Amino acid sequence: MAQAVTSPAPLPVPLQSLPLFVRLAGRPVILLGEGEAADAKRRLLDRAGADVVGEDASASLAIVAIDDEDDALAAVARLKARGILVNAVDRSALCDFTLPAIVDRAPVLIAIGTSGVSAGLAAALRQRLEAIVPADLGKLALALQGARGALRKRWPDMGERRRALATAMGAGGMLDPLSPTHDVDAWLTPTGTPAAARDVAITLVLLSDDPEDLTLRQARALASADRVYHSSDVPAAILDRARADAARHCAAMPADPGTGLSVAIEMAL
């Protein structure tokens, strides 16, 4: 009897950059250059509490904001030769890291980056988000931090806890992040607490291999999935829309996939 051949899972679409939040308070960062661009970077570093130093200092990060092309290239080469990660202002091809536009709702930070392609686009998106994201969103984050013990007591299972939070913070939920008010204590009371999501298995039949064509329901299901089952012809760009820590299986969904939300993806054509 012929043995079935299983095609390998599609490779994930590579990220041009991996977003990171780095704690710079008290740490040295080299800044080279003068003028408006250098001043803007200095203000940002000061805001992060970094110790702004010159080229000869020991540091892991450096920002080069030098206008002259030859001088800038030489400075970048010297710094990279020392193993220092460099941001070269207005020279994205030379950047080891880029600095995003920031929406600050401390301790919540929303960073918008374009891999250095268009600072103007990042700034425009930041302005739109500033108008959408509530000014006191940070209070919700701090309240959830303070309620960790109560959350663990109410839902000892991590999966149930995550699903309950996802329900509460969904659109129109009691803790909807875009709502102007949030009351974590009321949500945690027996009368105010929504039941944790039950175990669900759903199948998404996609008509297009473009992730932008996902319906709102499909996108939400992928973003909340605990595990994803898919055929080998499902594009990596679609799989990338699933929750980052969701288990992925290039196989048919079993009859009993397990607790939480299991999503199977099939291509219609």
Side-chain angles (χ1 to χ4, degrees):
M1 183 173 64
Q3 188 175 13
V5 177
T6 302
S7 301
L11 295 174
V13 178
L15 292 170
Q16 289 191 355
S17 302
L18 178 64
L20 299 172
F21 290 90
V22 182
R23 297 182 186 274
L24 292 179
R27 295 185 176 181
V29 177
I30 295 170
L31 175 61
L32 303 182
E34 296 179 353
E36 183 178 341
D39 290 343
K41 301 305 181 188
R42 181 180 292 276
R43 287 192 297 270
L44 186 61
L45 292 174
D46 287 343
R47 188 175 170 189
D51 180 16
V52 180
V53 297
E55 183 175 353
D56 294 333
S58 177
S60 299
L61 301 177
I63 298 176
V64 176
I66 299 175
D67 291 333
D68 183 82
E69 184 72 11
D70 292 337
D71 290 346
L73 293 176
V76 169
R78 291 193 303 270
L79 292 165
K80 290 192 174 188
R82 293 168 52 190
I84 297 172
L85 298 177
V86 178
N87 170 269
V89 177
D90 292 334
R91 298 174 177 89
S92 60
L94 300 177
C95 289
D96 297 310
F97 69 94
T98 56
L99 299 173
I102 297 172
V103 178
D104 186 0
R105 299 291 187 269
V108 178
L109 290 176
I110 302 173
I112 308 105
T114 62
S115 296
V117 172
S118 175
L121 174 59
L125 289 171
R126 180 190 64 78
Q127 291 171 6
R128 295 288 295 273
L129 288 172
E130 286 281 6
I132 296 172
V133 179
D136 63 349
L137 180 61
K139 293 181 180 178
L140 173 60
L142 294 173
L144 288 170
Q145 180 187 38
R148 282 179 177 175
L151 282 166
R152 290 192 179 98
K153 183 177 180 180
R154 180 70 179 84
W155 294 288
D157 178 76
M158 183 177 65
E160 283 193 357
R161 189 163 61 245
R162 180 183 55 76
R163 292 191 293 275
L165 281 166
T167 300
M169 291 191 282
M174 290 186 69
L175 302 182
D176 182 348
L178 299 186
S179 170
T181 59
H182 315 100
D183 191 337
V184 174
D185 290 337
W187 173 66
L188 282 171
T189 59
T191 56
T193 305
R198 59 187 176 85
D199 299 337
V200 176
I202 63 174
T203 298
L204 306 180
V205 180
L206 306 186
L207 302 177
S208 168
D209 59 4
D210 187 343
E212 297 304 319
D213 291 333
L214 290 170
T215 66
L216 182 59
R217 174 180 174 274
Q218 291 168 341
R220 285 178 175 171
L222 286 172
S224 301
D226 293 285
R227 61 195 63 81
V228 176
Y229 297 89
H230 61 91
S231 53
S232 59
D233 58 345
V234 175
I238 296 290
L239 297 177
D240 286 344
R241 294 299 178 94
R243 212 177 88 239
D245 56 349
R248 289 163 171 76
H249 306 280
C250 186
M253 188 187 328
D256 183 11
T259 59
L261 174 59
S262 300
V263 176
I265 311 175
E266 300 174 2
M267 302 304 298
L269 298 177

